[in-house]
Amino acid sequence: MTNATLKQLSQQLAAGAVSSVELATHYLDRIEALNPQLNAFITVDRARTLADAAAADAARAAGQAGLLTGVPMVHKDIFCQQGWKTSCGSKMLDNFISPYSAHVVEQCNAAGLITLGRANMDEFAMGSSNENSYYGAVKNPWDLNAIPGGSSGGSAAAVAARLTPVATATDTGGSIRQPASHCGVTGIKPTYGVVSRYGMVAYASSLDQGGPIAQTAEDCALMLNVMAGFDERDSTSLERAREDYTRELNQPLAGLRVGLPREYFADGLDADVAKVIEDAVAELKKQGAQVVDISLPNTELSIPAYYVIAPAEASTNLSRYDGVRYGHRAAEYKDLVDMYEKTRAEGFGAEVKRRILVGSYVLSHGYYDAYYLKAQKIRRLIANDFKAAFEQCDVILGPVAPTAAFNIGEKSGDPVQMYLSDIYTLSVNLAGLPGMSVPAGFDRRGRPVGLQIIGNYFGEAKMLNVAHQFQLATDWHTRAPAL
Amino acid sequence: MKWEVVIGLEVHVQLNTATKIFSGTSTAFGAEPNTQASAVELAFPGVLPVLNKAVVEKAIRLGLALGSKINQKNVFARKNYFYPDLPKGYQISQMELPIVEGGVLPILVGEEEKLVKLTRAHMEEDAGKSLHEDFSGMTGIDLNRAGTPLLEVVSEPDMRSPEEAVAYARALHSLVMWLGICDGNMQEGSFRVDANVSVRPFGQQEFGTRREIKNLNSFRFLEQAMKYEIQWQIDTLEDGGRVEQATVLFDPDSGETRMMRSKEDAHDYRYFPDPDLLPVRISDEQIARICGEMPELPSAMKARFVEAFSVSAYDAALLTGSRATAEYFEAVAQASGQGKLAANWVNGEIAARLNREGKDIADCPISAERLTGLILRIADNTLSSKLAKQVFDALWDSDLSADAIIERDGLKQVSDVGAIEKMVEEAIAANPKAVEEFRAGKEKALNALAGQVMKASKGKANPAQVQDILKQKLA
């Protein structure tokens, strides 16, 4: 049961080989045993989960089960979930029990999935290492000295450690793909607008996108079928017909044109990571894919552009945490301004404060044109790079990050070093494109390395097809850490 | 030194939509605090704004009425500042690319028409309310008003006196009600005015330093506040002082303005396009449809009244002060065929009486049909103006028609020459002194004699005939 995929579990439930209560108990026991080492969860509520599992079993007995009824899952603590603490990894929301559920949570509930708990994350999704959580760092299940990646580190670690078959996650600058890569699991960030942001606590609104992390591409496709879809409560949600993301999984790859961006294989790429990517490309070639040399010339500019736009949006998205209506409020203060200052000084961690300050600065009078407007222009250039590239190829392949997971504490004193590690993921968010990470090997220290697949707009099914065919031919995604 | 006053107004027009600008929450006024505030207004983590399309339609209506440019792509921006009644920590407003740009609003100053230019009008959400009473040492927050749709209408600094500014505010107030986009209730805050006031020596090109008077919710306060502020600025400058840019509040109790914040405390609002809302796109078809649904505008109606009913431009302007008044007048003028008389009565007795009783034309106890009945009897000389006034009073207090009142009270004017001649002769005979005075050249004596005749007829004699016959007899 431990290594079973979402697909397998749904089949076992349908066959009556296992009940939802048995599954939930199995995972809850594993969480209880292993989470003290990993710290992948912020909240677990055994009684509630078991009650939901019993209800799912009853629904199945009554003949009302869907494909995924009774399958357990985990939600990143960024998705509001009615009756559950939704902390977003912050002291600011440590006492916040959400009175409503995010669109994504509603969709999962409607599909019959039950919730095992709430995954740890970098505070307000700001971070690449999951060291920025108020609830402490998450450990990488492959090496407890290593970071799991961020900001969806809890979701990725939980799937990697087989504490859940699947977890929700969000990706603003690589927060699904990078932890998936570092933890040896599969994660997909859809096209901006495909998954509703309603109820997903906002970090940088124009970049945030929810998606699933699971063991396989096929499971990701099944989850995307549940999570995606138009939502009138999100003005940036795209009005498109529902699609079946599993429909292209079994297409052969013969004739597929894969683009390798020169800039992704230049200086700074770790040799072990490069080797893993080369081998993965070789495997796809073996299946008939053609390799095309492409260029994304403005890749380097994605870091400064991202670290202007994301903090700018974050600085105002986070203004609502002022101690007035909900969440943390400082105990003692002289006056209103003092209350705001103390509340925010106490409630936010260092990285969040750093980004609020940067964001406020770049939007301030006299600097807007030099920073924010310029960054938006770069964003256009980056999108145009991809547009040109996709005239030559069907998908783009490359590394997710320059190295495998680094050690806890290794970069936490140097935010700029940390920001540079996002170079291969940021531009995808700036362009609003879909991207995913697929386990493709290990570095010399035995830490997982992911292959990044970048698709054209609404190219999720094609990306999942490439990933699935790769997974049919390799076993990297089936390897689990020894815990 | 002679000073010139420069005034520009920013008016917050609350749009009368059923639901809020970015959520489906009701906008009804007067509910228990915080009962009309959903997770969106409370700015719960994760909630998102969804634009109420009715707000856009109403903004377009105003833009079309003002002859403005409608920006077919307009953008919502975030205006960032901290305040307890601003739950998100930013107000969603428009900065660059507002929905409405330019346009003019004609106003009436005395009997002169003046065109005031508009800078822009943009859509935005209202904030909540901070309640300081009943909370000792604390502030209460009511978020019922948060998210109520506003249209902020900004004029050019085109006004040169408080009177002009008030005329502009009144014209805009009546226009937004005319268009059916605002209920115009100033007490409930549906129409609030900020006035930017400065003075400069006559003939000087550059503007003086302005101070902004915030949140004036009556025309009277608007006028008082501007007058006080202008005098204060002139006094300050004449005493050798300087006017510093500032935001001030008007205290109706003292009649004075006082400083709220100086330029140094001015916020940096860090405006930027709201990433949660896509740019608003308005199609040609949508504009054409709204054009087709527009009511006849006051300016067009005014011109038509002058043309069709031969009323003066001044009267026509008064009649088109509100849509209800204009419709009332038109009904009477049409039915009676007496445009001039109808205008005199609507602008005169009806307006005065409504004003005295604090009523609106919609509550006028005399229907257009009943006023028409009165006017017909004036036109055919059945009623003298004095008798007409008497019938009018009776109409006001009963449901009877003018004819029924004339019949009941026997108020028919006497125009029978023989009867009037008889009464005139009696008056001449009874007042030899007056006759003597008149013959000695004292014109006024004629009036005394006429008065006697009217008295004898119980006011029913046709006064014009009385005058004519008196003159004949005394000639």
Side-chain angles (χ1 to χ4, degrees):
Chain A
M1 199 186 289
T2 300
N3 285 308
T5 64
L6 183 72
K7 172 92 178 293
Q8 289 162 348
L9 292 176
S10 98
Q11 287 167 343
Q12 288 171 21
L13 281 163
V18 69
S19 73
S20 183
V21 169
E22 285 169 326
L23 275 182
T25 307
H26 165 79
Y27 284 112
L28 288 167
D29 289 349
R30 265 188 87 77
I31 292 168
E32 203 171 290
L34 296 172
N35 193 54
Q37 289 167 266
L38 297 172
N39 198 29
F41 286 80
I42 291 174
T43 309
V44 178
D45 183 343
R46 194 176 188 100
R48 183 170 178 161
T49 300
L50 289 174
D52 290 350
D57 284 333
R60 192 171 283 280
Q64 292 160 347
L67 185 65
L68 301 178
T69 298
V71 178
M73 71 175 299
V74 166
H75 284 294
K76 184 177 179 178
D77 211 32
I78 200 170
F79 289 98
C80 285
Q81 186 164 11
Q82 193 173 17
W84 289 78
K85 177 165 105 170
T86 301
S87 77
C88 220
S90 180
K91 179 182 179 184
M92 195 59 101
L93 290 173
D94 184 42
N95 61 4
F96 180 68
I97 309 291
S98 181
Y100 80 107
S101 288
H103 178 79
V104 161
V105 172
E106 286 176 349
Q107 297 289 99
C108 290
N109 289 347
L113 288 143
I114 61 162
T115 304
L116 289 167
R118 311 271 308 167
N120 201 347
M121 57 180 285
D122 280 302
E123 185 179 5
F124 287 106
M126 298 180 194
S128 308
S129 66
N130 223 310
E131 294 167 287
N132 299 330
S133 170
Y134 172 63
Y135 301 93
V138 178
K139 311 286 168 53
N140 191 318
W142 291 91
D143 183 339
L144 298 178
N145 294 313
I147 56 106
S151 64
S152 311
S155 300
V159 174
R162 308 300 191 238
L163 306 183
T164 178
V166 60
T168 52
T170 63
D171 190 315
T172 306
S175 286
I176 289 176
R177 290 159 288 156
Q178 187 253 24
S181 175
H182 287 349
C183 291
V185 291
T186 308
I188 181 166
K189 169 224 164 321
T191 307
Y192 182 79
V194 161
V195 171
S196 168
R197 291 184 296 114
Y198 183 78
M200 206 174 101
V201 180
Y203 158 25
S205 310
S206 74
L207 301 160
D208 294 342
Q209 189 60 202
I213 291 179
Q215 288 175 43
T216 66
E218 187 175 28
D219 285 0
C220 283
L222 290 170
M223 280 308 292
L224 209 50
N225 281 351
V226 172
M227 294 168 69
F230 173 66
D231 176 15
E232 62 181 11
R233 297 168 300 185
D234 174 358
S235 306
T236 59
S237 170
L238 294 159
E239 259 181 284
R240 308 180 79 239
R242 272 192 167 276
E243 50 181 295
D244 176 6
Y245 292 99
T246 65
R247 69 183 189 275
E248 289 184 34
L249 289 176
N250 294 310
Q251 298 264 331
L253 299 185
L256 179 82
R257 298 170 304 162
V258 300
L260 297 183
R262 246 166 275 157
E263 294 78 7
Y264 284 29
F265 296 91
D267 293 348
L269 181 62
D270 177 84
D272 290 4
V273 175
K275 178 72 170 55
V276 167
I277 305 305
E278 281 160 26
D279 290 350
V281 172
E283 169 56 37
L284 294 172
K285 266 167 95 171
K286 210 166 83 189
Q287 297 191 26
Q290 289 169 246
V291 171
V292 186
D293 174 41
I294 60 163
S295 174
L296 298 170
N298 293 296
T299 298
E300 257 188 304
L301 294 178
S302 64
I303 295 177
Y306 176 87
Y307 282 100
V308 167
I309 292 169
E313 294 182 10
S315 71
T316 95
N317 279 335
L318 269 55
S319 298
R320 66 191 60 198
Y321 308 110
D322 58 4
V324 175
R325 293 159 302 282
Y326 49 79
H328 178 70
R329 181 189 288 186
E332 281 174 39
Y333 44 86
K334 302 197 296 283
D335 55 27
L336 180 65
V337 171
D338 194 42
M339 192 272 272
Y340 287 148
E341 288 175 356
K342 288 208 170 86
T343 295
R344 290 168 69 82
E346 293 167 10
F348 290 135
E351 184 60 27
V352 171
K353 286 178 193 164
R354 189 176 296 130
R355 294 193 196 187
I356 289 174
L357 288 174
V358 169
S360 302
Y361 179 81
V362 300
L363 288 177
S364 61
H365 190 70
Y367 295 99
Y368 180 87
D369 289 1
Y371 293 103
Y372 184 79
L373 212 58
K374 188 74 135 229
Q376 291 292 15
K377 287 177 183 166
I378 293 173
R379 188 173 187 171
R380 175 71 57 88
L381 293 178
I382 287 167
N384 288 342
D385 283 357
F386 278 111
K387 196 171 170 229
F390 279 115
E391 282 166 14
Q392 297 170 265
C393 61
D394 304 306
V395 293
I396 293 170
L397 299 183
V400 173
T403 65
F406 45 87
N407 287 339
I408 291 172
E410 190 180 326
K411 294 188 180 179
S412 50
D414 188 347
V416 174
Q417 270 307 307
M418 190 83 89
Y419 297 167
L420 289 173
S421 69
D422 296 334
I423 182 142
Y424 306 131
T425 48
L426 298 177
S427 50
V428 169
N429 299 77
L430 289 167
L433 290 165
M436 65 186 294
S437 175
V438 183
F442 294 87
D443 77 349
R444 73 188 83 85
R445 291 187 290 183
R447 294 177 183 181
V449 173
L451 166 72
Q452 183 170 211
I453 308 172
I454 300 168
N456 207 341
Y457 296 103
F458 311 112
E460 285 83 358
K462 174 51 65 189
M463 287 162 48
L464 288 161
N465 167 226
V466 175
H468 183 64
Q469 293 302 313
F470 180 74
Q471 290 180 338
L472 287 177
T474 60
D475 69 351
W476 305 111
H477 62 289
T478 66
R479 304 202 188 177
L483 279 161
Chain B
M1 188 180 309
K2 214 158 161 358
W3 297 92
E4 183 174 47
V5 174
V6 175
I7 301 171
L9 297 187
E10 290 171 24
V11 180
H12 286 91
V13 177
Q14 185 177 309
L15 299 173
N16 55 356
T17 52
T19 56
K20 295 192 176 181
I21 182 168
F22 297 121
S23 81
T25 311
S26 166
T27 52
F29 180 83
E32 282 289 297
N34 297 309
T35 55
Q36 284 176 180
S38 70
V40 173
E41 284 80 49
L42 295 166
F44 268 65
V47 296
L48 296 168
V50 177
L51 178 61
N52 179 346
K53 293 193 171 68
V55 174
V56 176
E57 299 256 321
K58 287 172 195 279
I60 294 172
R61 276 171 96 87
L62 182 67
L64 291 174
L66 295 168
S68 315
K69 177 181 169 215
I70 307 294
N71 280 322
Q72 290 181 258
K73 177 190 169 191
N74 57 85
V75 174
F76 280 104
R78 292 182 181 178
K79 178 180 179 179
N80 295 281
Y81 63 96
F82 284 99
Y83 205 70
D85 62 21
L86 186 74
K88 292 188 293 295
Y90 56 84
Q91 179 191 27
I92 304 178
S93 180
Q94 298 197 302
M95 180 62 180
E96 283 173 53
L97 284 184
I99 185 164
V100 170
E101 267 187 85
V104 289
L105 181 65
I107 63 169
L108 206 58
V109 187
E111 302 213 356
E112 294 272 298
E113 187 175 83
K114 172 170 174 161
L115 298 177
V116 177
K117 289 192 289 299
L118 278 292
T119 312
R120 58 188 271 154
H122 65 253
M123 303 176 283
E124 64 182 28
E125 60 180 338
D126 209 341
K129 258 190 214 158
S130 292
L131 309 169
H132 302 290
E133 289 156 27
D134 307 331
F135 296 92
S136 100
M138 290 191 285
T139 299
I141 304 290
D142 177 7
L143 296 175
N144 282 356
R145 203 181 66 185
T148 301
L150 300 178
L151 204 53
E152 182 174 332
V153 185
V154 183
S155 82
E156 292 286 298
D158 272 3
M159 285 147 293
R160 293 289 171 269
S161 68
E163 290 73 21
E164 286 186 16
V166 170
Y168 166 84
R170 284 189 184 277
L172 185 62
H173 184 252
S174 77
L175 180 63
V176 294
M177 291 199 295
W178 187 287
L179 296 170
I181 64 175
C182 173
D183 68 19
N185 191 326
M186 296 178 79
Q187 260 137 39
E188 292 177 4
S190 301
F191 191 92
R192 317 193 287 269
V193 184
D194 299 342
N196 284 300
V197 177
S198 65
V199 297
R200 62 180 170 191
F202 252 102
Q204 181 181 302
Q205 281 300 304
E206 316 85 75
F207 291 131
T209 306
R210 68 186 153 85
R211 303 213 310 168
E212 182 179 17
I213 318 170
K214 284 295 233 194
N215 260 330
L216 297 156
N217 66 352
S218 87
F219 296 122
R220 193 160 59 88
F221 292 161
L222 170 63
E223 184 158 9
Q224 282 176 8
M226 286 186 296
K227 282 186 167 156
Y228 177 86
E229 178 63 24
I230 289 161
Q231 198 53 52
W232 182 87
Q233 290 189 15
I234 291 172
D235 290 348
T236 300
L237 293 170
E238 288 187 342
D239 290 349
R242 282 178 51 187
V243 173
E244 304 285 351
Q245 194 176 321
T247 305
V248 302
L249 286 175
F250 175 67
D251 179 354
D253 294 330
S254 65
E256 296 174 3
T257 55
R258 65 183 157 76
M259 179 102 118
M260 187 174 143
R261 56 172 182 262
S262 70
K263 194 187 177 190
E264 282 68 41
D265 316 322
H267 288 104
D268 179 354
Y269 289 118
R270 293 178 284 120
Y271 278 101
F272 79 112
D274 191 326
D276 285 333
L277 289 159
L278 301 174
V280 180
R281 307 265 176 189
I282 298 167
S283 66
D284 293 337
E285 292 72 30
Q286 190 180 3
I287 293 177
R289 177 178 53 72
I290 295 169
C291 252
E293 291 166 4
M294 291 281 280
E296 186 181 13
L297 294 176
S299 51
M301 220 177 212
K302 203 170 79 183
R304 191 163 60 76
F305 285 178
V306 171
E307 175 75 12
F309 302 116
S310 311
V311 299
S312 71
Y314 178 74
D315 272 344
L318 288 182
L319 291 168
T320 50
S322 86
R323 203 161 139 191
T325 306
E327 281 166 2
Y328 183 92
F329 160 75
E330 187 164 18
V332 177
Q334 285 288 6
S336 66
Q338 300 288 333
K340 196 94 189 71
L341 263 180
N344 289 345
W345 279 86
V346 174
N347 285 339
E349 285 302 319
I350 295 262
R353 194 75 189 251
L354 288 173
N355 194 26
R356 198 173 341 130
E357 299 190 9
K359 281 185 175 148
D360 200 75
I361 187 81
D363 315 316
C364 182
I366 305 180
S367 67
E369 196 191 348
R370 292 170 70 229
L371 185 67
T372 302
L374 173 66
I375 284 173
L376 287 173
R377 294 295 83 79
I378 299 167
D380 68 9
N381 278 326
T382 307
L383 295 174
S384 67
S385 57
K386 195 171 170 208
L387 288 174
K389 177 71 186 32
Q390 218 174 313
V391 174
F392 177 83
D393 289 341
L395 281 170
W396 194 272
D397 298 322
S398 76
D399 292 332
L400 297 172
S401 69
D403 285 340
I405 290 164
I406 292 166
E407 188 62 40
R408 183 190 69 187
D409 299 346
L411 293 177
K412 225 168 225 163
Q413 174 168 271
V414 176
S415 302
D416 172 17
V417 178
I420 294 174
E421 274 183 340
K422 190 161 168 271
M423 287 189 279
V424 165
E425 280 159 11
E426 282 167 13
I428 289 172
N431 296 285
K433 196 168 169 228
V435 173
E436 203 175 304
E437 280 173 10
F438 176 73
R439 290 206 166 117
K442 202 172 170 194
E443 287 284 330
K444 267 192 183 161
L446 193 70
N447 291 338
L449 288 167
Q452 290 298 323
V453 177
M454 292 308 290
K455 201 174 162 189
S457 76
K458 297 200 178 106
K460 285 185 257 180
N462 182 329
Q465 277 180 306
V466 171
Q467 289 277 341
D468 286 349
I469 293 170
L470 256 175
K471 279 181 192 160
Q472 273 172 35
K473 299 275 176 197
L474 294 173

